[in-house]
Amino acid sequence: MDVISEKIRDNYEQLTPQEKKLADFLLSHPDNLPLFNSTDLASTCEISKATISRLFKRLGYSSFKEARHVAQKERHQGTPFFNSQSSGALHNQHFEQEIKNLQYLQNTLTNETVDRAAEHITNAKNVVVIGFRNSYPIAVHCRQQLVQIRSNVSLAPVSGQTIGEELANLSPDDLVILIGFRRRPTLIQPLIAQLKTLSIPTLLISDFSLRQQSKQVDVWIECPLESASSFNSYSAAMSLIALLANKTLDFCADDAQLHIDKVTAFYKALEEVDFS
C-alpha cells in the first residue's frame, strides 16, 4: 500500500468529504485493500461505488481494479519477503527513497511545530515515551537521547506489564510522547482518546495513517515510511528524534548542562563509558 498511501497523502486536501472517508479507511488499514471488492469497500466505508471509482481515478488509476492489483503486489510491504531486484538497482532506489523521505519531513515540518514539541518536552514534570512493535526502537532511542539532558524520562510499558499501570498517575503537568507507526496494536486509538480525556499533553509521531487521531493530540509530527523494498524505512523518524533532542537542549540549556555534568560524573566514577 505504500505507493497508494503516498498518492492519497499527496492529494488528500483536494478530496471530497466522501472520498476522505475512503482515504482515511485505507490509510488506517493499509493491508485491507487487496482483500476487498468494490461492494465490500463501499459498504464498510458507507460510500457509493462511484466515490470509489472517482477516488482512484483522481489518484491516477484507470479503475479500482487496477489500484487493487497494485496493492496486491505491494501487500507484503513492511513484511520481509524475497525481492528479485538486482543489488545495483535496489542500492540506488533505496537511497533515493531515503532522501525523498527526509525531504518530505523537511518540507512539511515547520519550525513552530518543532518549537512547540521541544517546549512540551522541556516543561513537562515527567515524560513518558511509548512505542510498540516497529515503533519500539524509535521510542528507546528517543528516551535515550532525552534522558541525557533532563530527568524523569521513562519508557513504557515495562516488559510484561500493561500500559495502564504506567499511565495511571500522569497529570496535565506531564507529557506522553507516543510513537505510533503502522502495523501497531489496536490500543493506540483508545489510548490517544484516553489521554485526551485526562488532559495529558501528547506528542504523536506517526505516519499519515493516524491523521484523524492527530486532531486529539497537542502536537503531531508525520514521518513517511516509504521504502524501495520490503521493509519500511525509519530514517526520517530517527532524524526527527535527533532534531527534537537538539531543540530541547537549546530550550533548557542551563538545566541540561547541570544534568549532563551529573551523568558524566557517574560515567567516570563507574568507568562505564569509554571516552577515548
Side-chain angles (χ1 to χ4, degrees), residues 29-44:
H29 304 81
D31 294 330
N32 285 11
L33 180 56
L35 309 177
F36 279 90
N37 58 40
S38 59
T39 300
D40 293 335
L41 197 57
S43 175
T44 299

Side-chain angles (χ1 to χ4, degrees), residues 20-208:
K20 285 182 178 179
K21 288 178 66 175
L22 174 57
D24 290 339
F25 175 80
L26 294 174
L27 290 170
S28 298
H29 304 81
D31 294 330
N32 285 11
L33 180 56
L35 309 177
F36 279 90
N37 58 40
S38 59
T39 300
D40 293 335
L41 197 57
S43 175
T44 299
C45 298
E46 298 181 343
I47 57 175
S48 66
K49 290 184 181 180
T51 297
I52 296 174
S53 178
R54 284 196 300 269
L55 173 64
F56 286 109
K57 286 182 179 179
R58 189 191 294 272
L59 298 181
Y61 299 101
S62 61
S63 64
F64 165 73
K65 184 176 180 180
E66 181 191 1
R68 188 174 65 172
H69 177 68
V70 171
Q72 287 170 342
K73 293 175 64 177
E74 296 289 331
R75 186 179 179 189
H76 292 292
Q77 191 80 1
T79 302
F81 71 103
F82 178 74
N83 192 312
S84 60
Q85 289 174 282
S86 69
S87 60
L90 177 59
H91 179 92
N92 293 333
Q93 291 171 14
H94 171 80
F95 287 105
E96 288 171 1
Q97 187 60 58
E98 296 291 280
I99 292 169
K100 287 181 181 179
N101 288 350
L102 288 168
Q103 287 177 333
Y104 182 88
L105 180 63
Q106 179 185 14
N107 293 336
T108 57
L109 181 59
T110 66
N111 288 329
E112 292 76 15
T113 298
V114 176
D115 285 349
R116 282 195 292 122
E119 286 176 359
H120 277 291
I121 296 170
T122 300
N123 296 329
K125 182 178 179 181
N126 298 285
V127 176
V128 179
V129 187
I130 300 172
F132 300 96
R133 304 193 79 243
N134 291 341
S135 300
Y136 181 75
I138 313 299
V140 171
H141 183 62
C142 180
R143 188 261 176 187
Q144 181 58 29
Q145 297 305 294
L146 296 181
V147 79
Q148 296 180 69
I149 57 178
R150 60 152 294 160
S151 59
N152 300 323
V153 182
S154 60
L155 184 68
V158 174
S159 179
Q161 301 301 308
T162 61
I163 196 67
E165 295 164 340
E166 308 287 346
L167 304 181
N169 293 322
L170 291 184
S171 76
D173 294 328
D174 302 316
L175 173 69
V176 169
I177 300 177
L178 179 57
I179 301 174
F181 293 112
R182 60 177 175 251
R183 296 183 181 271
R184 55 191 166 256
T186 55
L187 65 79
I188 291 292
Q189 294 186 28
L191 174 57
I192 292 173
Q194 179 68 0
L195 293 170
K196 174 70 173 178
T197 298
L198 298 175
S199 300
I200 298 173
T202 303
L203 163 59
L204 174 63
I205 299 172
S206 75
D207 56 89
F208 194 75

Side-chain angles (χ1 to χ4, degrees), residues 218-230:
D218 298 85
V219 183
W220 174 51
I221 300 178
E222 178 201 350
C223 287
L225 304 180
E226 278 69 30
S227 169
S229 189
S230 309

Side-chain angles (χ1 to χ4, degrees), residues 147-151 255-264:
V147 79
Q148 296 180 69
I149 57 178
R150 60 152 294 160
S151 59
D255 290 339
Q257 189 58 59
L258 292 173
H259 185 78
I260 291 169
D261 291 343
K262 290 179 181 179
V263 171
T264 302

